[in-house]
Amino acid sequence: MRVLIQMKPERDVVEAVANPQLTATTQDVAGSMPGVELDQSFTPVALPRPVPTTTEGDPLSLTQQLRFSMRPEDATVLVRGEIHDYDAASRLSMLALSRPQIVGISADPAIQTSPTCPGDGPVGNWQDVKNLLAELGADDLDGSGIALAITDTGINTQHLSNELDRPVTVDAARSWNPPGVTGKPGQFPVDHGTMCAFDALIAAPKATLIDVPVLLSQQQGPTVMSGLLSDAVAAYSHLWSVLETMPDDKRALIVSNSWGSFSPRWDFPPSHPGNYSDNPGHPFNLMVTALESAGADVLFAAGNCGLDCPDGRCEFPDRPIVGANSHPRALSIGGVDTRGNRVGYSSQGPGRLDPNKPDICAYTHFEGSHAFGAGEPDSGTSAACPVAAGVVAAVRTQWSANAIKPAELRTLLQRTADDRGAAGFDHDYGFGIINVPAIMDALRRRSKNGHGIRR
Amino acid sequence: MAPDKPTSLITVTLPSGATLEDALRQLGIGRDAVDTDYGLVDLHNGTYALLVTEAVAERAHGTPGARGPYANPKIEPFGPPQPGRDED
């Protein structure tokens, strides 16, 4: 929690703060303050004391005539810092009692413009995203030879090639259709899946796409409970087989999932043994565990049910990151715009299977694939997830799942993320925004220290 | 009354390499009670998934090695995000 601390330091310190010709730092004003991470970059601010203009005035009323005194014996000084979110109320009370010079403490909320919301125009473009991830190219981490599965509405390679002005590879032999879906890999109508593929290729331009149009299934039952997650179960079983054919020292499969469930009406209640949203024992959640255990990096979009401006389809009353989107063995990806601000629709934790969700954030709401027409952004955590999946695929270019286990890579991405929001993990940004320069530093250190084996 | 289509998700424990016919035998049901297009899906943990009629799924509790029914919810793409009801 960010706080403003109002202090009454020694007179000469107040004079130094109030006089623009002099300089006083937070260190000069507050020294050290155990339990508070003082912001040393903040220039202390002198606050004048309001004084009634008449001797009979009410010292507590702001509705009378007042003058404001900046005299050293009257003025106070503001510094700012941060205290841990845990048990914040008690910490604030203890802080107020810890130093006699502290005369007041107040919240220092972040001042933001309105967050990016559904319907807003793009914030930056895919070249901006590419630049933010550019350092991957310095070590030739481009996804060459890496299989990247897009489980979605199918991919249109012609559109991708036109937009990117270069060929795009879809591995037809390792792609898979749900029962009843007859289209060919890489030849599906331009839609959400093509957007996801485009966004994955930003960081991993040479990755080999595996087309898994699981959202195209037309299978519908007599009630709203009947649907398509069973197709995802079958898709993951296929991907497990794909992974098993890879030699151990070359094993790498990234699975990008920009979909999920919007409503508890489509599920059994959490108390039911067949429930999906809260039940790690559901067959699909078990398949995620199996695939990750076999060496796959599984990424799920966190969802678009953020409190600021949720998608109109959101129906979970709370904790909207459900089922596999909150799986402890998957990375749950929230969304930020290219300015690094969380988009208002990005779902917030805690997650239902694992409370510490989302894990990290990646970029979304930029002009990119034009899959939805000119001027329409690649948006939703749907876009953020494949952007992050592309980064993972790029890393896998030289680091197989044997060299860095999927769990280790998740930890590396979390540990290197650019922290935003409250200090450390929070339920808006997770551990922060995916941070390619820090990932590269960590990989280079790992290599230098002899940990892990390059492919 | 709508016909009981095979849309309920259950799992059954079977030996490695099992076929749909093996699952039908274990469950004591005919092909008309399962989604044969979906088939038998290997979950790679000693169990297999299949889609059966609601009536078969309800009986699954009592069948050795069978579990379910499990929720089979509709899944949708997370984008583009649609405006909320009060933003329409």
Side-chain angles (χ1 to χ4, degrees):
Chain A
M1 178 183 188
R2 286 184 291 266
V3 289
L4 286 169
I5 303 167
Q6 189 176 359
M7 303 188 69
K8 182 72 181 162
E10 296 294 328
R11 178 191 172 106
D12 59 330
V13 176
V14 179
E15 273 182 323
V17 173
N19 186 342
Q21 307 301 319
L22 301 174
T23 302
T25 65
T26 292
Q27 177 68 27
D28 298 331
V29 174
S32 74
M33 202 175 278
V36 182
E37 191 178 331
L38 288 166
D39 181 353
Q40 301 295 341
S41 68
F42 181 75
T43 303
V45 175
L47 286 183
R49 177 182 168 210
V51 183
T53 54
T54 63
T55 52
E56 298 80 28
D58 179 352
L60 302 183
S61 172
L62 286 172
T63 59
Q64 63 187 314
Q65 289 286 328
L66 295 167
R67 66 182 176 82
F68 290 85
S69 171
M70 196 62 100
R71 291 165 45 178
E73 59 270 33
D74 289 332
T76 54
V77 177
L78 274 184
V79 296
R80 77 179 181 192
E82 193 162 353
I83 62 171
H84 203 288
D85 281 345
Y86 178 74
D87 200 13
S90 298
R91 287 170 186 274
L92 285 172
S93 301
M94 293 300 289
L95 176 59
L97 296 171
S98 67
R99 295 267 291 271
Q101 297 96 330
I102 294 175
V103 295
I105 302 169
S106 53
D108 185 19
I111 303 167
Q112 291 182 318
T113 54
S114 298
T116 301
C117 282
D120 289 351
V123 180
N125 59 38
W126 73 275
Q127 294 285 0
D128 298 326
V129 177
K130 188 177 178 185
N131 290 338
L132 289 161
L133 311 176
E135 198 170 332
L136 290 163
D139 281 13
D140 296 326
L141 301 185
D142 56 11
S144 292
I146 300 302
L148 202 172
I150 304 291
T151 67
D152 212 274
T153 61
I155 298 169
N156 186 296
T157 49
Q158 186 63 54
H159 180 84
L160 294 175
S161 296
N162 292 345
E163 290 291 329
L164 294 165
D165 198 25
R166 61 177 173 77
V168 170
T169 306
V170 168
D171 185 337
R174 293 193 287 182
S175 295
W176 178 89
N177 281 6
V181 175
T182 55
K184 291 183 178 172
Q187 297 180 27
F188 290 97
V190 177
D191 206 321
H192 188 263
T194 302
M195 177 196 82
C196 292
F198 181 97
D199 296 337
L201 293 172
I202 295 173
K206 295 188 178 173
T208 299
L209 299 172
I210 295 181
D211 196 357
V212 185
V214 73
L215 300 179
L216 283 189
S217 171
Q218 297 303 306
Q219 181 182 218
Q220 292 291 327
T223 72
V224 76
M225 293 294 293
S226 303
L228 307 173
L229 189 63
S230 53
D231 288 316
V233 174
Y236 269 51
S237 181
H238 166 77
L239 291 172
W240 192 92
S241 303
V242 167
L243 200 52
E244 284 297 298
T245 63
M246 297 178 183
D248 281 351
D249 62 336
K250 302 279 187 195
R251 188 167 288 205
L253 172 66
I254 295 87
V255 188
S256 183
N257 307 272
S258 291
W259 50 265
S261 171
F262 279 100
S263 171
R265 289 188 297 117
W266 301 334
D267 197 356
F268 292 127
S271 58
H272 188 290
N275 164 267
Y276 167 62
S277 62
D278 295 61
N279 177 15
H282 185 281
F284 183 64
N285 292 328
L286 290 176
M287 272 312 307
V288 172
T289 303
L291 197 61
E292 191 267 357
S293 299
D297 299 297
V298 182
L299 295 90
F300 272 88
N304 299 336
C305 299
L307 291 174
D308 304 278
C309 40
D311 186 305
R313 293 170 289 176
C314 298
E315 292 187 14
F316 281 95
D318 62 1
R319 297 191 299 147
I321 309 178
V322 309
N325 304 75
S326 65
H327 200 292
R329 302 263 194 121
L331 276 171
S332 177
I333 308 297
V336 293
D337 62 28
T338 55
R339 299 180 191 131
N341 295 319
R342 178 183 150 271
V343 292
Y345 51 75
S346 180
S347 292
Q348 292 133 313
R352 291 191 178 231
L353 296 189
D354 179 350
N356 291 331
K357 299 290 177 178
D359 290 277
I360 55 172
C361 288
Y363 302 102
T364 184
H365 219 97
F366 51 85
E367 185 177 4
S369 67
H370 299 133
F372 298 101
E376 291 297 319
D378 288 5
S379 63
T381 52
S382 275
C385 181
V387 166
V391 173
V392 173
V395 170
R396 290 292 184 209
T397 311
Q398 293 186 11
W399 302 85
S400 71
N402 200 35
I404 301 179
K405 304 278 185 233
E408 294 173 321
L409 186 52
R410 289 197 300 277
T411 301
L412 189 151
L413 294 176
Q414 292 165 345
R415 188 165 47 77
T416 55
D418 184 10
D419 189 19
R420 295 295 173 102
F425 176 87
D426 63 72
H427 288 131
D428 289 339
Y429 289 87
F431 287 92
I433 301 172
I434 197 163
N435 184 347
V436 163
I439 293 169
M440 299 300 290
D441 282 348
L443 289 174
R444 288 168 186 148
R445 273 199 309 276
R446 189 183 177 94
S447 185
K448 191 176 169 184
N449 293 336
H451 297 302
I453 305 158
R454 288 193 174 220
R455 304 180 87 217
Chain B
M1 186 175 170
D4 189 1
K5 292 181 180 173
T7 56
S8 293
L9 181 66
I10 67 166
T11 62
V12 58
T13 303
L14 290 166
S16 177
T19 65
L20 182 59
E21 298 304 325
D22 297 326
L24 298 181
R25 263 196 303 279
Q26 176 151 337
L27 293 167
I29 58 174
R31 293 178 72 84
D32 56 343
V34 300
D35 183 338
T36 53
D37 289 337
Y38 186 78
L40 189 69
V41 175
D42 188 352
L43 301 184
H44 303 288
N45 62 0
T47 65
Y48 294 76
L50 66 166
L51 294 172
V52 299
T53 60
E54 200 174 326
V56 169
E58 283 171 7
R59 290 204 309 271
H61 299 296
T63 307
R67 289 191 174 188
Y70 291 98
N72 188 11
K74 188 160 73 173
I75 50 177
E76 290 189 75
F78 278 163
Q82 299 173 7
R85 292 179 194 89
D86 56 353
E87 298 169 59
D88 290 334

